[in-house]
Amino acid sequence: MKTNQNIQYLRGIAALTVVMAHTVSSFTAFRDIGGFGNVFLHNIELIGQVGVGVFFIISGYIMSMTTHNKAGGIENAKMFLLKRAVRIYPIYFVWTSVNVTLWAFGVFQRGIHYSIDKIITSYLLIPYISFDGDVIDPILRQGWTLIYEGFYYLAFALLILLGQHRKFGIYILAIFFTVLNFLSAFMTSPSAQSFFSGHIILLFVVGMFIFHHQHSILAFMRIKAARRVMLALILWLVGVIALENRELGDYAEYLHYLTATVLFLYLFSAKKVSGPILEIGNSSYSLYLTHTFLTTAYAIVVRSAGLSNLTLLWLAMATFFIAIVVGEVAYRLIEKKLIFKTASIVQVPAELNKA
């Protein structure tokens, strides 16, 4: 289906923005080029949040797409969760285990101490803050987004159980997530407070809304004037993020969510998508999980190699492209085979795991 190609293209774009952001942050964490250039690089780091937003919208769209013809009830709810677990956990376990092993042997993240609680909650994708601060970061740090994914899957499975996973479910989840966000201020657990205080979870609902109203949305977005306006809006929003993001304070996150939504709509409604980004979309999950090994290695070089800023920026570009290659190799050699094997074990047809 053409729509699936557009979704894969969006996955590729989202993954690339995250890799770019983490590569840049590995540089800015230890180097300051001064002036406008430094402000620009710090703002560019935040483009990765747009990519994460796109991933969440995609997830909401796909969950609605793959279940809208299915009845409610406990069996379908259980099958939904089983399929999502098979798709998410095995690959995540592999790369979390690689991270833990490298850390245990003192090769990776040597300056960090991981408690047993931290390790267990990281594997299970349970929100957990193990240091002073309000950031939930599993051992494989980008796993924080998978914690939100897992919570959304549980909420969506409850909708399936109750037979409310179609259009009405959009409003149920929007209200549910909004109430949790309000109640987060009264929660005593720092992990729960941090997790539920974020508004980003509402982007899953945006994806659901787009699926159920896609015919009207696509009809509007295929008007040439509308597409030109949307493209201009994307360029303006990205420009604001890159140039003025840090001056927006608490409103900055809403700018990222709006940019993610507009970008999704623009590329989702494109008549034709092609090129290597489609293949990157296929390997986006492996790329997402593996790229921090490369960007962390790059950060070590930035911190200790004594190279010039110009040389390090060239090395950043090399790191970016090497991460893409590693993600593709990991996808072909590990992810594709592991999906097939785990699908067979739990008797879920492999094609169901493409969602």
Side-chain angles (χ1 to χ4, degrees), residues 65-285:
M65 183 182 75
T66 56
T67 60
H68 78 286
N69 284 330
K70 290 182 169 50
I74 189 169
E75 290 303 320
N76 278 333
K78 287 166 58 178
M79 182 57 67
F80 170 80
L81 287 176
L82 184 60
K83 286 164 56 180
R84 300 327 301 161
V86 165
R87 184 65 185 94
I88 296 296
Y89 273 104
I91 315 300
Y92 173 74
F93 283 167
V94 167
W95 294 110
T96 297
S97 297
V98 170
N99 196 326
V100 171
T101 302
L102 293 176
W103 166 77
F105 283 96
V107 178
F108 194 67
Q109 299 175 335
R110 289 180 294 180
I112 302 176
H113 171 72
Y114 290 129
S115 65
I116 295 299
D117 288 347
K118 178 75 167 183
I119 293 173
I120 292 174
T121 54
S122 292
Y123 271 101
L124 297 179
L125 290 173
I126 297 173
Y128 182 75
I129 296 175
S130 59
F131 57 90
D132 292 334
D134 61 353
V135 177
I136 295 171
D137 62 335
I139 291 175
L140 196 63
R141 289 183 176 176
Q142 58 272 40
W144 73 268
T145 62
L146 300 180
I147 296 176
Y148 276 104
E149 289 272 356
F151 179 72
Y152 169 65
Y153 295 155
L154 288 172
F156 196 89
L158 182 58
L159 291 181
I160 296 174
L161 176 66
L162 300 174
Q164 300 295 330
H165 53 290
R166 298 181 181 87
K167 284 187 179 182
F168 194 59
I170 298 171
Y171 310 103
I172 295 175
L173 284 192
I175 294 170
F176 178 53
F177 293 154
T178 301
V179 169
L180 283 176
N181 180 265
F182 172 77
L183 293 177
S184 67
F186 305 98
M187 294 177 181
T188 56
S189 166
S191 297
Q193 188 177 62
S194 176
F195 182 77
F196 292 115
S197 63
H199 297 91
I200 194 170
I201 197 169
L202 288 169
L203 290 178
F204 292 115
V205 181
V206 172
M208 294 170 63
F209 181 89
I210 291 172
F211 171 77
H212 287 289
H213 297 85
Q214 62 183 313
H215 296 299
S216 299
I217 292 171
L218 287 173
F220 173 77
M221 287 297 302
R222 284 170 179 161
I223 299 172
K224 286 186 178 180
R227 290 194 61 77
R228 288 170 183 167
V229 170
M230 292 294 278
L231 178 58
L233 181 57
I234 291 170
L235 296 175
W236 179 77
L237 289 169
V238 171
V240 172
I241 292 174
L243 301 177
E244 300 182 25
N245 193 87
R246 292 183 181 273
E247 299 177 7
L248 299 176
D250 294 338
Y251 295 99
E253 66 172 320
Y254 301 108
L255 181 70
H256 305 146
Y257 305 158
L258 176 60
T259 306
T261 302
V262 175
L263 180 62
F264 180 95
L265 291 172
Y266 184 79
L267 293 177
F268 175 70
S269 60
K271 291 184 178 180
K272 183 179 180 181
V273 291
S274 60
I277 291 179
L278 274 176
E279 179 55 36
I280 294 172
N282 293 332
S283 62
S284 59
Y285 188 41

